[in-house]
Amino acid sequence: MVELDKKKFLVSIGKYLLRFFVLTLIFVYGFAQVTEYSNLKPIVSDLTTKMLSESQAMGGVNPQLLDGITQQCQNTDKIVIPMGSDSVTIDCKEVQAKGVSALPQYLSDAIANIVLKDYYKDYGCSPVGCLTSLAVSRDTTKLPFLISAQMNQFLKTLIPYLVIGLILSLFILIYSIRETFSIFKEVGMTLLSAGVPFVLLFILKYREQLLVSTGILSGKEDFMSSANQFLSGPVNNVTDLYLYMYGIVFIIGAVLAITGYIVLRKREKEAKDAGKTGAS
């Protein structure tokens, strides 16, 4: 009885740790890819462009801003627009060469440069210290740390430890269960639960085919329009990255769980049939 309780306890711990390390590893690996400067700058620029376009469509200040820049550029070579402690410098010759329609993208790129100006900054604290300042002390000066080279490097150093943790959690399950297809079933079910974000991302990715084409939604809902605008361009690449990784986990989990379940059910049935034969 004590041995059985110990086994159940180890299986529960192994499943919990496996789920934790799989989810954390995928998140950390994905975020490490996103915070690479070459990937991050297009994302920030794309988000800024979308925000400017949305404000412009809503009749916000941006139409006047864009018209004002266009008019001023007729009389000067450069315009400096203050933005808090920073400023955006507009090269009027470049704007005129690209055309007025390219101005929102030009502004987005300039703003992205400001947002990422501290990417390589030394924040004077360890990654854990910076994150603690953000979470506990609410130190907003450390907010840019989340998309910095220092954060990116920290995430990369975590990956080997998370892989080791994942392997150890598998070892705990293998050691405590010791029967191949029971291991398949338990590991598979755990991976399926860790792969639930795949289902949500899949619905989000193929929302038009799954929700609109089937008549569940009309496609004219505000949140659908916002999703269509937001989930495009470089931001869509982030969705695809996580969809792919969670998809692998979900599929492996499904294959292992189904294989384990079928074999164990078959064995159980054979054992019952053998018992009936022996009884007769």
Side-chain angles (χ1 to χ4, degrees):
M1 184 68 178
V2 174
E3 191 66 29
L4 183 61
D5 290 341
K6 180 182 176 183
K7 178 182 176 180
K8 287 183 177 179
F9 175 74
L10 286 174
V11 171
S12 297
I13 290 295
K15 289 171 68 175
Y16 173 81
L17 290 176
L18 179 60
R19 188 182 300 109
F20 170 79
F21 282 116
V22 168
L23 288 170
T24 307
L25 178 60
I26 290 176
F27 173 78
V28 168
Y29 178 81
F31 199 46
Q33 295 299 308
V34 170
T35 51
E36 288 280 359
Y37 189 84
S38 57
N39 297 326
L40 187 59
K41 186 173 180 181
I43 293 171
V44 174
S45 179
D46 180 55
L47 287 172
T48 308
T49 300
K50 287 168 181 173
M51 285 189 290
L52 286 172
S53 299
E54 184 177 355
S55 296
Q56 188 174 3
M58 292 173 65
V61 298
N62 290 295
Q64 292 90 348
L65 174 63
L66 298 180
D67 290 342
I69 291 172
T70 304
Q71 292 176 5
Q72 288 187 51
C73 274
Q74 296 175 358
N75 304 314
T76 185
D77 293 334
K78 288 185 178 181
I79 301 172
V80 178
I81 303 175
M83 290 196 170
S85 59
D86 299 291
S87 61
V88 172
T89 301
I90 306 294
D91 187 332
C92 290
K93 291 182 179 179
E94 189 172 347
V95 170
Q96 290 169 353
K98 292 181 178 180
V100 177
S101 60
L103 186 54
Q105 183 61 54
Y106 183 93
L107 276 172
S108 298
D109 291 339
I111 294 171
N113 288 332
I114 290 177
V115 172
L116 298 177
K117 68 183 177 62
D118 292 329
Y119 181 79
Y120 295 103
K121 175 183 174 181
D122 181 0
Y123 285 85
C125 55
S126 67
V128 175
C130 286
L131 291 173
T132 302
S133 295
L134 268 171
V136 179
S137 305
R138 307 289 178 89
D139 185 359
T140 55
T141 61
K142 296 292 191 297
L143 196 58
F145 171 79
L146 294 175
I147 52 172
S148 68
Q150 195 176 343
M151 179 65 168
N152 179 258
Q153 191 58 41
F154 172 62
L155 293 171
K156 289 178 180 177
T157 59
L158 286 179
I159 291 174
Y161 296 104
L162 293 172
V163 172
I164 292 171
L166 190 153
I167 293 171
L168 286 175
S169 61
L170 282 173
F171 177 78
I172 291 172
L173 286 171
I174 293 169
Y175 172 78
S176 56
I177 299 174
R178 300 189 184 186
E179 199 285 314
T180 302
F181 291 101
S182 293
I183 293 171
F184 277 20
K185 181 182 175 183
E186 294 297 340
V187 171
M189 293 300 292
T190 305
L191 292 180
L192 272 176
S193 65
V196 166
F198 163 73
V199 179
L200 302 176
L201 288 170
F202 187 84
I203 294 172
L204 193 63
K205 171 77 175 176
Y206 298 102
R207 58 197 176 279
E208 293 286 343
Q209 295 90 328
L210 295 173
L211 301 176
V212 179
S213 298
T214 55
I216 297 174
L217 296 174
S218 66
K220 297 178 181 179
E221 293 81 2
D222 290 341
F223 73 91
M224 283 293 290
S225 300
S226 298
N228 291 338
Q229 182 182 12
F230 182 77
L231 296 172
S232 61
V235 174
N236 188 55
N237 296 337
V238 179
T239 306
D240 287 344
L241 173 64
Y242 280 106
L243 179 68
Y244 174 76
M245 291 190 292
Y246 282 120
I248 290 175
V249 171
F250 189 85
I251 291 169
I252 292 175
V255 171
L256 289 176
I258 292 170
T259 302
Y261 179 79
I262 290 174
V263 172
L264 291 175
R265 287 284 292 177
K266 183 179 179 182
R267 285 180 180 177
E268 185 181 344
K269 186 176 183 300
E270 289 174 349
K272 286 182 179 179
D273 292 341
K276 289 179 181 178
T277 304
S280 61

